[in-house]
Amino acid sequence: MENGQEENKTETATATNDAATDEVKNEKPVSKVEETAAKQISQEPSSELLQKIKNQVEFYFGDVNMHKDKFLIEQTKLDNGWIPMSVMLNFKMLTYMSKDIDVILKAIESSELMEISEDRKKIRRSPNHPLPVYNEEYRKAQEARTAYVKGFPLKDINIEKLKTFFNAYEPFENIIMRKYQDKEKKLQFKGSIFIQFKTLEDAKAFMARESVKYGDTELIRKWSVDYSLEKAKEKEDRRQKKSEMKAKKNESTKEKDDESGEEDESEKDSSLPKGCVIHFTNAPDKCTREDIKERLGELDASIAFVDFKIGDKEGWVRLQGENSAKAVVDKMKDSKVLIRDKEVTCRIIEGEEEEKYLAKAKEEMTNVRQKYTKGKKGKKGRNTQRGQRKRRNSDTNDSVAAKKLATD
């Protein structure tokens, strides 16, 4: 009986202790929940942060990025466009703003571009906004509403600062910071960007502004198309100069051959072959020599030089070999060839027109040769012995001119 009472007392004491222990255990979680709730209320995301998160997510799924983001493209193929939020947390710029899925979802609730799954575990680009087909027409439309802007500081600047700066202007889709590799293979900012606006009207409004300053610095603004054209001309001029310097070096070597009694190649018959000149008209505005060489090269044309400058509407292509132009033109449809999406009309020049053109070409080649040989005769020095050796594989007059006039 006593043992039984003792057992009951023991059980009662144990139950009491367990109950007390449970109360202690239950008190801590309740306290933590309340503390966490209070903390969340005090750290409610600002409207500014939510807007930044929304902009970043819309950038990931926007027209510009979705065409080239291979990782995101592959992910959208797995589940009818849905991307798990666990995958979205792999995007550094997004997680830099917030790692809280609820905050991210709250930020995009007002987005017309984005859609949230019912279980709030996935997001996708809304089917109501299908991705445009990326073709030449779409590419040109993007280029038309893109501007080149220069004058930003080289240090202490990043994409976020640039986005914040341009938020005060017209709506934009994308900003590309132009960078280069230094000697240590590290990327350095050039101080210039390409900014693509949402519409052509937005781009025109930005370019029409009387002044746009970053701090105290007035920014240089150009249309992306104009900037690209300027760079293409600069590149062509550099290549032309390089070609002329090479011609100068070759002519100098020829002169040394003359002084040593070797045969002067310039005294050989320098007549140009006939039936080798193609005249073309209706050239595209941004057409370059490289465009012409590449397109005619597809027709097996062996080009000596291209007589053409960017902005011209007509030009001449001189081929190598007698009567070589006919075989090239015969491969065209109605004597027309497509260059930069525009039909260019071609014809073979003949008779008096051909004679005048070839005479002019020979005269220009002679002038180039004389320009770099003038005043050189009689000069001898440490290279005399090398000059006395007969050169191999010497350039003919025609090939020298070809390199000069056909190189960009």
Side-chain angles (χ1 to χ4, degrees):
M1 192 70 178
E2 291 180 359
N3 290 338
Q5 290 176 348
E6 286 296 327
E7 288 177 359
N8 290 335
K9 288 180 182 179
T10 302
E11 289 176 0
T12 302
T14 301
T16 302
N17 291 335
D18 290 343
T21 303
D22 289 340
E23 288 178 5
V24 173
K25 289 181 178 179
N26 290 332
E27 284 177 0
K28 290 184 179 179
V30 170
S31 176
K32 286 185 176 180
V33 169
E34 291 174 350
E35 182 181 349
T36 303
K39 187 176 182 181
Q40 287 178 339
I41 293 173
S42 64
Q43 294 184 348
E44 186 72 19
S46 65
S47 57
E48 181 181 359
L49 174 60
L50 293 176
Q51 185 62 45
K52 285 184 177 181
I53 294 173
K54 176 186 174 183
N55 292 343
Q56 189 63 33
V57 174
E58 287 184 340
F59 167 75
Y60 290 141
F61 290 87
D63 295 347
V64 176
N65 190 67
M66 279 294 288
H67 278 301
K68 60 185 179 181
D69 194 324
K70 294 181 180 180
F71 173 77
L72 197 54
I73 290 172
E74 290 301 317
Q75 290 294 317
T76 58
K77 296 177 181 178
L78 302 179
D79 185 16
N80 196 28
W82 291 108
I83 308 294
M85 290 306 297
S86 58
V87 173
M88 292 305 302
L89 292 180
N90 291 321
F91 290 80
K92 291 183 179 179
M93 286 296 294
L94 180 60
T95 54
Y96 175 77
M97 298 175 187
S98 178
K99 295 180 181 179
D100 190 327
I101 292 177
D102 291 333
V103 171
I104 296 173
L105 293 176
K106 181 177 181 179
I108 62 177
E109 284 176 348
S110 61
S111 173
E112 294 183 3
L113 180 66
M114 301 307 300
E115 192 174 90
I116 303 173
S117 64
E118 292 183 3
D119 60 6
R120 299 181 69 82
K121 292 183 178 180
K122 295 176 288 188
I123 62 174
R124 71 176 177 182
R125 179 178 173 131
S126 173
N128 296 328
H129 296 278
L131 193 66
V133 177
Y134 191 87
N135 51 25
E136 184 63 15
E137 181 180 357
Y138 182 75
R139 185 195 68 77
K140 288 182 177 180
Q142 282 187 316
E143 185 179 42
R145 60 178 188 268
T146 300
Y148 165 84
V149 186
K150 179 181 179 181
F152 299 99
L154 302 181
K155 303 293 183 181
D156 191 31
I157 192 167
N158 54 42
I159 193 67
E160 283 304 310
K161 289 184 178 181
L162 288 170
K163 286 182 178 180
T164 300
F165 171 75
F166 280 103
N167 280 337
Y169 298 93
E170 284 67 31
F172 61 91
E173 284 186 329
N174 190 30
I175 295 176
I176 298 177
M177 298 178 69
R178 302 181 67 245
K179 297 182 179 182
Y180 69 96
Q181 275 193 343
D182 61 16
K183 295 181 179 179
E184 298 178 356
K185 303 297 182 181
K186 294 181 179 179
L187 289 176
Q188 303 292 345
F189 181 44
K190 287 186 173 184
S192 59
I193 67 165
F194 286 114
I195 177 169
Q196 180 178 310
F197 294 90
K198 286 193 174 182
T199 66
L200 180 58
E201 288 69 27
D202 291 333
K204 288 180 178 179
F206 175 77
M207 293 299 288
R209 285 179 175 271
E210 184 176 346
S211 174
V212 178
K213 290 185 176 182
Y214 190 89
D216 296 329
T217 304
E218 182 69 34
L219 296 177
I220 298 171
R221 291 169 288 159
K222 299 178 182 179
W223 286 108
S224 173
V225 174
D226 294 337
Y227 173 77
S228 298
L229 191 61
E230 288 179 9
K231 299 306 290 186
K233 286 183 178 179
E234 289 177 7
K235 186 177 181 181
E236 183 177 353
D237 290 343
R238 286 197 299 270
R239 289 183 177 180
Q240 183 80 0
K241 186 175 181 180
K242 185 177 180 181
S243 179
E244 289 176 354
M245 293 300 293
K246 188 173 183 180
K248 177 181 177 182
K249 183 178 180 180
N250 288 339
E251 292 299 336
S252 177
T253 306
K254 284 182 183 180
E255 188 175 278
K256 291 175 181 177
D257 285 346
D258 292 343
E259 293 172 355
S260 64
E262 295 293 339
E263 181 180 13
D264 185 355
E265 292 181 7
S266 66
E267 293 178 357
K268 291 183 179 181
D269 181 16
S270 60
S271 62
L272 300 176
K274 293 186 177 182
C276 66
V277 181
I278 297 175
H279 175 254
F280 61 89
T281 56
N282 198 35
D285 292 338
K286 295 186 288 183
C287 182
T288 65
R289 291 176 181 172
E290 283 301 319
D291 292 329
I292 298 166
K293 289 191 289 182
E294 180 180 356
R295 187 66 186 91
L296 294 186
E298 295 173 358
L299 302 177
D300 299 323
S302 181
I303 298 175
F305 79 47
V306 178
D307 186 359
F308 177 79
K309 292 182 179 179
I310 295 176
D312 291 348
K313 293 300 180 182
E314 66 172 352
W316 294 261
V317 178
R318 183 157 56 82
L319 307 180
Q320 297 178 8
E322 197 86 11
N323 298 318
S324 55
K326 187 178 184 302
V328 176
V329 175
D330 285 347
K331 293 180 181 179
M332 302 177 186
K333 184 177 181 181
D334 299 327
S335 298
K336 294 181 179 180
V337 63
L338 197 65
I339 300 178
R340 295 184 73 91
D341 297 329
K342 188 175 183 180
E343 282 193 339
V344 176
T345 303
C346 302
R347 66 180 178 87
I348 303 171
I349 64 172
E350 299 174 315
E352 185 178 352
E353 182 184 10
E354 181 185 30
E355 292 288 347
K356 288 182 178 180
Y357 182 81
L358 292 179
K360 179 183 176 183
K362 289 175 62 176
E363 181 181 355
E364 290 177 350
M365 291 161 57
T366 300
N367 290 338
V368 170
R369 181 169 62 250
Q370 290 177 349
K371 178 180 178 181
Y372 294 109
T373 58
K374 185 178 180 180
K376 296 290 184 179
K377 290 185 178 182
K379 290 185 179 181
K380 295 183 180 181
R382 59 190 179 189
N383 292 325
T384 300
Q385 184 176 358
R386 183 180 68 181
Q388 290 175 347
R389 293 198 297 269
K390 184 175 178 65
R391 288 186 302 113
R392 299 178 181 178
N393 301 325
S394 300
D395 286 327
T396 63
N397 295 335
D398 197 33
S399 63
V400 170
K403 292 176 183 176
K404 170 186 175 293
L405 296 172
T407 306
D408 288 335

